[in-house]
Amino acid sequence: MSSLLEQLIEALRVLPGVGQKSAQRMAYHLLERERGGGERLAEIMKEAMAMIGHCARCRDFSETDVCPTCANSSRDHAELCVVENPADRLAIEQATGYRGLYFVLQGRLSPLDGIGPAELGLDQLVTRLGEGEVRELIIATNPTVEGEATAHYLAQLARQANVRPSRLAHGVPLGGELEYVDRGTLSHAFGSRSEMA
Amino acid sequence: MSSLLEQLIEALRVLPGVGQKSAQRMAYHLLERERGGGERLAEIMKEAMAMIGHCARCRDFSETDVCPTCANSSRDHAELCVVENPADRLAIEQATGYRGLYFVLQGRLSPLDGIGPAELGLDQLVTRLGEGEVRELIIATNPTVEGEATAHYLAQLARQANVRPSRLAHGVPLGGELEYVDRGTLSHAFGSRSEMA
Ligand SMILES: [Zn+2]
Ligand SMILES: [Zn+2]
């Protein structure tokens, strides 16, 4: 049976990018200088793991059945922005003045990994586009090979439902990930998005 | 009132070297792929913050009044290795074949920061050296200006108690921190420690 300290170091390695040395440093830091912060982190982490699910409308993380954004009637329900993951949604929300809604794929089309339309909730998206409320589908998948393929697939779905598809303007660096783009570039790219041909 | 997710991101920033972006990435990673690991981390962190104190003999972190190392009668109680902090102790324990005991200062002499002999538990160390069991005091403070000053002070205390002081051999890079030294270098330096003149 290993000590509590060893167990803590081992458990910290579940965090992304945290190896043995970083985990050790984190454990010692908490014990030496941040007991209160560590207690609070433990409490919130426990609650978050148990209580955070997915919004039934947009698939983003949410504590409630429908997230505050989807439930907000003052947002423009005619614009729907599709992103790959919650971090991309947050980056757009923070960098731009966008007031429409979102749809979070939680991935991108990747047939070799067994990720097809069903895994990305696209049946749900098709139903929604068919309801007639959405007029523009803003496709903000990442400018990678798989992201581009996903974008073209989404544009097709939009056209079939008579919804105008658009794509963020060039300006987002090719091969980059939205969540790491600086706010200015992202805001500019968002503002000068173009209709997809 | 911010969402649970926002609270989790904020709480993660208590970890050393974790800013807003890393905290976000950690939160999303846990929610997307490591709920079980996150629950386990929360549980152990809570227990660790509450239950881990300091060993009454060596001042290292310990769940018990006296830590397993100090309580281990098969270790050599005639050798006492003084380190600045628990990470240094762990580095020596993992890199060398040392079978003696440790004394953890939890710092180093730094008069400008108000850290004097009392804060480092040196009265406790003097008492222990006076008991006659310790024959060699292996001084393994870091090779920094303050670490060297601390080493000389410790060597004086040892001589006053008729205990032989020794210092790790050159080989540990100057200005470096023990916990980041590779095992081979550290093991060599530990093995060829020299008596202090
Ligand atoms: Zn939602
Ligand atoms: Zn101990």
Side-chain angles (χ1 to χ4, degrees):
Chain A
M1 177 63 176
S2 49
S3 73
L4 254 182
L5 179 59
E6 286 163 338
Q7 289 177 58
L8 175 60
I9 291 168
E10 185 57 36
L12 280 163
R13 297 189 56 184
V14 78
L15 299 172
V18 175
Q20 179 68 18
K21 277 279 180 189
S22 313
Q24 255 176 43
R25 196 162 53 244
M26 286 174 170
Y28 288 134
H29 178 85
L30 291 176
L31 288 168
E32 281 163 17
R33 278 184 288 275
E34 291 280 5
R35 297 245 178 178
E39 274 166 24
R40 184 168 156 70
L41 173 57
E43 204 169 295
I44 291 174
M45 192 178 292
K46 184 183 174 178
E47 204 183 335
M49 295 304 111
M51 304 298 291
I52 296 178
H54 293 275
C55 170
R57 288 288 282 169
C58 72
R59 296 166 50 96
D60 193 10
F61 291 125
S62 175
E63 296 156 58
T64 47
D65 189 42
V66 173
C67 77
T69 302
C70 288
N72 184 345
S73 60
S74 79
R75 294 192 69 126
D76 183 354
H77 286 232
E79 292 194 300
L80 189 63
C81 176
V82 185
V83 293
E84 292 184 16
N85 56 56
D88 295 338
R89 178 211 168 282
L90 186 62
I92 289 174
E93 185 72 5
Q94 287 175 343
T96 73
Y98 181 60
R99 296 290 301 157
L101 300 181
Y102 295 94
F103 189 84
V104 182
L105 300 172
Q106 302 283 2
R108 46 193 155 192
L109 289 176
S110 181
L112 292 179
D113 302 314
I115 300 175
E119 284 68 30
L120 304 181
L122 296 191
D123 39 355
Q124 190 184 334
L125 180 64
V126 167
T127 304
R128 181 145 169 198
L129 294 177
E131 287 166 1
E133 194 175 40
V134 176
R135 281 194 302 271
E136 179 183 1
L137 190 73
I138 303 171
I139 300 171
T141 52
N142 285 307
T144 57
V145 174
E146 288 176 342
E148 290 293 338
T150 307
H152 285 286
Y153 190 88
L154 290 167
Q156 259 183 317
L157 295 183
R159 282 185 214 101
Q160 283 162 10
N162 284 318
V163 169
R164 191 157 35 93
S166 63
R167 185 102 177 87
L168 298 207
H170 285 301
V172 176
L174 280 168
E177 302 274 332
L178 282 192
E179 73 172 292
Y180 299 110
V181 173
D182 68 281
R183 289 170 74 125
T185 305
L186 186 55
S187 182
H188 172 84
F190 195 88
S192 51
R193 64 187 180 269
S194 59
E195 193 162 336
M196 287 179 81
Chain B
M1 177 60 179
S2 50
S3 73
L4 254 181
L5 179 58
E6 286 163 337
Q7 289 177 57
L8 175 59
I9 291 169
E10 186 55 37
L12 280 163
R13 297 188 57 186
V14 77
L15 298 171
V18 175
Q20 178 68 17
K21 277 279 180 189
S22 315
Q24 255 176 45
R25 197 162 52 244
M26 286 175 170
Y28 287 134
H29 179 85
L30 291 176
L31 288 168
E32 280 162 16
R33 281 186 287 274
E34 290 281 4
R35 296 244 179 179
E39 274 165 25
R40 184 169 156 70
L41 173 56
E43 204 170 296
I44 291 173
M45 193 178 293
K46 183 183 175 178
E47 204 183 334
M49 295 302 113
M51 304 298 291
I52 297 178
H54 293 274
C55 171
R57 288 287 282 169
C58 72
R59 296 166 50 96
D60 193 10
F61 290 125
S62 175
E63 298 156 58
T64 47
D65 188 42
V66 173
C67 77
T69 302
C70 287
N72 184 345
S73 61
S74 80
R75 294 192 70 127
D76 183 353
H77 287 231
E79 290 193 300
L80 188 63
C81 177
V82 185
V83 293
E84 292 184 15
N85 56 57
D88 295 337
R89 179 210 168 281
L90 186 63
I92 288 174
E93 185 71 6
Q94 288 176 343
T96 74
Y98 181 61
R99 296 289 301 156
L101 301 181
Y102 295 93
F103 189 85
V104 181
L105 300 173
Q106 301 283 2
R108 47 193 154 189
L109 290 177
S110 180
L112 292 179
D113 302 314
I115 301 175
E119 284 69 31
L120 304 181
L122 296 192
D123 39 355
Q124 191 183 333
L125 180 63
V126 167
T127 304
R128 182 144 169 201
L129 294 178
E131 287 166 2
E133 194 176 40
V134 177
R135 280 194 302 273
E136 179 183 2
L137 190 73
I138 304 171
I139 300 170
T141 52
N142 285 307
T144 57
V145 174
E146 288 176 342
E148 289 293 338
T150 307
H152 284 286
Y153 191 89
L154 291 167
Q156 258 182 320
L157 295 184
R159 282 186 214 101
Q160 281 162 11
N162 284 318
V163 169
R164 192 158 34 93
S166 63
R167 185 97 178 90
L168 299 207
H170 285 300
V172 176
L174 279 169
E177 301 273 334
L178 282 192
E179 73 172 293
Y180 300 111
V181 173
D182 68 282
R183 290 170 73 124
T185 305
L186 185 55
S187 182
H188 172 84
F190 196 89
S192 51
R193 63 184 180 271
S194 60
E195 192 163 336
M196 287 178 80

